[in-house]
Amino acid sequence: DTGVSQDPRHKITKRGQNVTFRCDPISEHNRLYWYRQTLGQGPEFLTYFQNEAQLEKSRLLSDRFSAERPKGSFSTLEIQRTEQGDSAMYLCASSLGDRATDTQYFGPGTRLTVL
Amino acid sequence: DAKTTQPPSMDCAEGRAANLPCNHSTISGNEYVYWYRQIHSQGPQYIIHGLKNNETNEMASLIITEDRKSSTLILPHATLRDTAVYYCIVRVEGYGGSQGNLIFGKGTKLSVKP
């Protein structure tokens, strides 16, 4: 399967703990996006990378959130001192970054439950 | 906020065509219409996109009105596996900033029934 992959698929943690999620984009895709989706809502944009550069961060991305894409390939999203309000599905998407065909393809998501 | 309006839910009989409407009355000339769907507990799946002309691929057809203020996604022969939330999104194609991000609304929950 050459699609976007995410790990882990599910994570249960206690409030106050740190968690880290990984996303592997489609090979040769230059752009990588993170979204968050809460129950009954559509996905909401968090941040995106063009290669290794983080070009935009949403206001939803509080100081407890940090994302990296160190070599322009896979990316990690870390949440420090988790809160119950962080419980959500965290989605990763990637795209070629080509102006003409910049369609985003999503991974299966990581479902986070904070107890 | 999402720039599109969709009905919250629709039903369709298996084997029949599913026609999902979307209003985007404030769409700009350089904005594309994208459709994604999300089957329960999975990531969104890209379906199709278009600018002005009608588009067709192996999954669906996209019909955009001449004034571009609305569009319809057509699933020609709906199956039970097409039961999902369908999102209609308008976005600017190109580099940089928030122009590239997808802004999802709540979508239309399509239920395909036997």
Side-chain angles (χ1 to χ4, degrees):
Chain A
D1 190 315
T2 58
V4 178
S5 61
Q6 293 187 245
D7 184 69
R9 295 292 307 278
H10 303 274
K11 178 71 177 179
I12 300 174
T13 190
K14 293 182 179 179
R15 188 176 54 187
Q17 298 294 305
N18 299 343
V19 294
T20 300
F21 310 140
R22 176 180 171 123
C23 171
D24 286 90
I26 294 171
S27 179
E28 298 181 354
H29 275 196
N30 295 323
R31 287 192 180 177
L32 187 149
Y33 300 77
W34 285 99
Y35 291 80
R36 182 177 73 182
Q37 185 175 26
T38 54
L39 203 60
Q41 305 296 317
E44 297 173 290
F45 167 75
L46 291 178
T47 188
Y48 94 95
F49 294 83
Q50 174 81 30
N51 298 312
E52 66 275 10
Q54 188 173 16
L55 295 188
E56 186 176 358
K57 294 192 284 188
S58 160
R59 286 174 294 178
L60 292 175
L61 210 67
S62 76
D63 292 345
R64 297 183 296 105
F65 288 69
S66 63
E68 295 183 343
R69 194 182 182 198
K71 297 183 180 179
S73 57
F74 73 91
S75 175
T76 57
L77 177 68
E78 181 183 15
I79 309 175
Q80 296 182 327
R81 305 181 303 281
T82 52
E83 301 173 356
Q84 289 184 325
D86 297 331
S87 294
M89 173 82 87
Y90 289 85
L91 294 158
C92 176
S94 71
S95 69
L96 275 171
D98 175 88
R99 182 182 291 272
T101 57
D102 197 27
T103 298
Q104 294 180 29
Y105 297 91
F106 284 81
T110 294
R111 181 167 296 282
L112 173 66
T113 302
V114 182
L115 301 175
Chain B
D1 291 346
K3 300 175 70 174
T4 62
T5 304
Q6 299 177 255
S9 64
M10 291 181 63
D11 290 341
C12 178
E14 188 178 20
R16 305 297 294 268
N19 297 286
L20 292 95
C22 179
N23 287 321
H24 30 79
S25 57
T26 61
I27 192 169
S28 301
N30 61 347
E31 288 183 316
Y32 286 69
V33 179
Y34 275 74
W35 284 84
Y36 283 78
R37 73 179 182 183
Q38 190 171 25
I39 296 169
H40 183 61
S41 296
Q42 297 182 21
Q45 178 189 21
Y46 166 76
I47 302 173
I48 198 168
H49 75 281
L51 182 62
K52 297 180 189 177
N53 300 321
N54 298 338
E55 301 287 345
T56 296
N57 63 20
E58 65 278 5
M59 288 184 68
S61 295
L62 173 61
I63 308 298
I64 303 174
T65 58
E66 192 169 344
D67 63 7
R68 304 210 320 122
K69 292 185 177 181
S70 66
S71 61
T72 301
L73 179 74
I74 301 172
L75 307 178
H77 306 286
T79 71
L80 299 179
R81 289 177 295 178
D82 292 322
T83 292
V85 177
Y86 287 76
Y87 295 100
C88 171
I89 301 162
V90 296
R91 64 181 283 240
V92 174
E93 194 76 298
Y95 291 110
S98 60
Q99 293 179 340
N101 306 332
L102 297 172
I103 300 175
F104 290 80
K106 292 192 176 182
T108 296
K109 183 172 183 179
L110 175 68
S111 297
V112 181
K113 305 194 173 182

